[in-house]
Amino acid sequence: MLFFPRLTTIQTIGCLALTGAILVPAAVHADVVLLKNGQRVEGVATQTPGKPDSVTIRGPKGTVELSKDLIQTIQYESEAVNLRRTGDDHYNAKRYKEAIESYQKSLALDPKDELTAKQLKTAQDAIARESTVERRKQIEVINTTLAEAKKKVATKEFDAAEKMLLKEVPALTPTDEQVQQSNEIKRDLYLAWAHESDDKLKPELAVKYYEKVLELDASNKEAYERLIKVMETNPDYNQRVIEAYRVQLKLTPDDSATRRKLADKLLAEGVRMERTATLDPTEQKKVDDELKEAVDTFQLCIPAGIEERKSLVADPM
């Protein structure tokens, strides 16, 4: 990329020794003062007040006064060129977004300036390269985080693994493939967490985590079976057990054993709910016991006769 050359401080002192002034290498809004010795000075050039034979050049960091005898010519630059120079300064400082803004403003004033258009493209390419590099680094960080989360699941550091998967990974904008990997690790996390809760006789937590597994993997047979096993001994979970059986039958419609369990559960729950509104607790327990006995007898008499059972219990599916 070609930019206007700038004087160094040493060069400036050398060529302006007669004036005793120190020039600033860069100026934001720059006229170009060409000296007879071939050097150039940039800044806002004006007639020095009270000195008709000298010119004052003001830059962002200082002021220089030059004798007209040292000057070959002064090129007064347009606002468009000044904006391009501002863009150059930003580009050299790797402030690519600011450079692009300055170049675009310059082109709005002078759309035919090919140099500014070229430098705009260069700045845009630079920021694209920078973005690509940053994105690659980000993807690598996500891969590292996923691998670490998987290790923590294996060592039963469930809270730490969940934090990585629910907060750290999403914050880095994972790819579709990484989202899938994250969901698989979350499934394994919640399944392991549910097993541990079940082993520690914490049924409520076990139910919570088995259901999280099913949110991620609706066809996970192990999660359904274990979830039902945890819930079926607690009447408060009857409706959820029924829903679990229904889902299982959608996945495996020819599973006669599950269909029988669903029919029994529906029958038991229906009678229980019907009786609850009219019986006191003692009578309710008696009815429940009788109902359980009836269901057990029903299963013994017709262990797998689905068609025969349809005449007794409407098929819930």
Side-chain angles (χ1 to χ4, degrees):
M1 186 173 184
L2 298 176
F3 299 117
F4 289 108
R6 303 295 177 91
L7 288 173
T8 65
T9 302
I10 294 176
Q11 290 172 325
T12 302
I13 293 173
C15 73
L16 299 178
L18 294 177
T19 67
I22 298 177
L23 288 182
V24 177
V28 175
H29 296 285
D31 299 320
V32 179
V33 180
L34 299 177
L35 304 180
K36 291 179 180 179
N37 65 359
Q39 297 287 344
R40 57 192 289 154
V41 183
E42 298 177 5
V44 179
T46 59
Q47 176 71 51
T48 303
K51 296 183 179 181
D53 294 329
S54 67
V55 173
T56 297
I57 304 172
R58 295 180 176 83
K61 295 183 180 180
T63 300
V64 173
E65 184 179 324
L66 295 176
S67 169
K68 288 184 179 180
D69 293 337
L70 299 174
I71 299 173
Q72 180 71 37
T73 185
I74 299 176
Q75 298 175 354
Y76 293 98
E77 294 188 336
S78 66
E79 179 67 13
V81 174
N82 286 331
L83 285 167
R84 186 184 69 213
R85 288 183 176 279
T86 300
D88 293 345
D89 290 337
H90 285 310
Y91 182 91
N92 289 330
K94 296 185 178 181
R95 296 189 296 266
Y96 301 127
K97 289 183 180 180
E98 291 85 349
I100 289 171
E101 291 176 2
S102 295
Y103 292 143
Q104 288 173 335
K105 289 178 181 178
S106 176
L107 286 172
L109 296 174
D110 186 3
K112 296 182 180 180
D113 187 339
E114 294 182 0
L115 178 58
T116 301
K118 180 180 178 181
Q119 294 177 184
L120 171 61
K121 178 64 167 56
T122 302
Q124 289 171 333
D125 290 344
I127 201 170
R129 287 193 302 272
E130 190 176 69
S131 298
T132 299
V133 171
E134 288 301 315
R135 180 56 177 159
R136 286 175 181 169
K137 290 180 180 178
Q138 192 177 57
I139 289 174
E140 186 58 35
V141 170
I142 296 171
N143 286 334
T144 301
T145 304
L146 289 173
E148 185 64 25
K150 193 170 184 178
K151 289 180 182 178
K152 290 191 178 298
V153 172
T155 56
K156 296 187 177 183
E157 298 176 73
F158 300 137
D159 287 312
E162 186 179 45
K163 180 182 177 182
M164 290 179 175
L165 296 169
L166 297 187
K167 295 183 178 180
E168 295 178 19
V169 170
L172 295 171
T173 315
T175 64
D176 291 343
E177 182 180 354
Q178 288 173 326
V179 169
Q180 183 178 349
Q181 291 174 0
S182 178
N183 286 339
E184 290 172 356
I185 298 172
K186 279 190 281 187
R187 177 201 62 200
D188 295 341
L189 161 66
Y190 291 129
L191 193 58
W193 214 340
H195 289 345
E196 182 182 73
S197 300
D198 201 359
D199 292 341
K200 292 182 177 180
L201 303 179
K202 297 180 179 179
E204 292 184 1
L205 285 178
V207 168
K208 171 185 174 181
Y209 294 127
Y210 282 132
E211 289 183 334
K212 284 184 176 292
V213 172
L214 294 172
E215 288 174 6
L216 294 163
D217 182 6
S219 61
N220 193 296
K221 187 175 181 180
E222 179 186 359
Y224 276 117
E225 291 176 349
R226 287 180 172 270
L227 177 63
I228 291 170
K229 185 177 180 180
V230 173
M231 294 192 302
E232 64 185 357
T233 58
N234 187 337
D236 293 337
Y237 289 137
N238 276 356
Q239 288 297 330
R240 290 159 80 175
V241 172
I242 288 171
E243 289 305 315
Y245 279 140
R246 284 173 172 163
V247 173
Q248 272 197 309
L249 281 173
K250 288 180 181 179
L251 297 173
T252 54
D254 296 330
D255 186 347
S256 60
T258 298
R259 186 175 294 276
R260 183 176 67 247
K261 290 177 182 178
L262 175 59
D264 293 338
K265 203 69 175 177
L266 284 168
L267 180 61
E269 179 67 3
V271 173
R272 187 185 71 82
M273 292 179 66
E274 181 180 12
R275 297 293 187 182
T276 299
T278 58
L279 301 177
D280 62 37
T282 302
E283 292 174 321
Q284 181 64 56
K285 185 178 185 307
K286 181 179 179 180
V287 170
D288 288 344
D289 291 340
E290 290 175 348
L291 179 59
K292 183 179 184 303
E293 183 180 355
V295 170
D296 291 341
T297 303
F298 184 73
Q299 290 177 330
L300 290 172
C301 293
I302 314 176
I306 299 299
E307 294 301 323
E308 295 179 46
R309 294 183 69 174
K310 286 182 179 178
S311 64
L312 300 175
V313 182
D315 186 349
M317 300 304 292

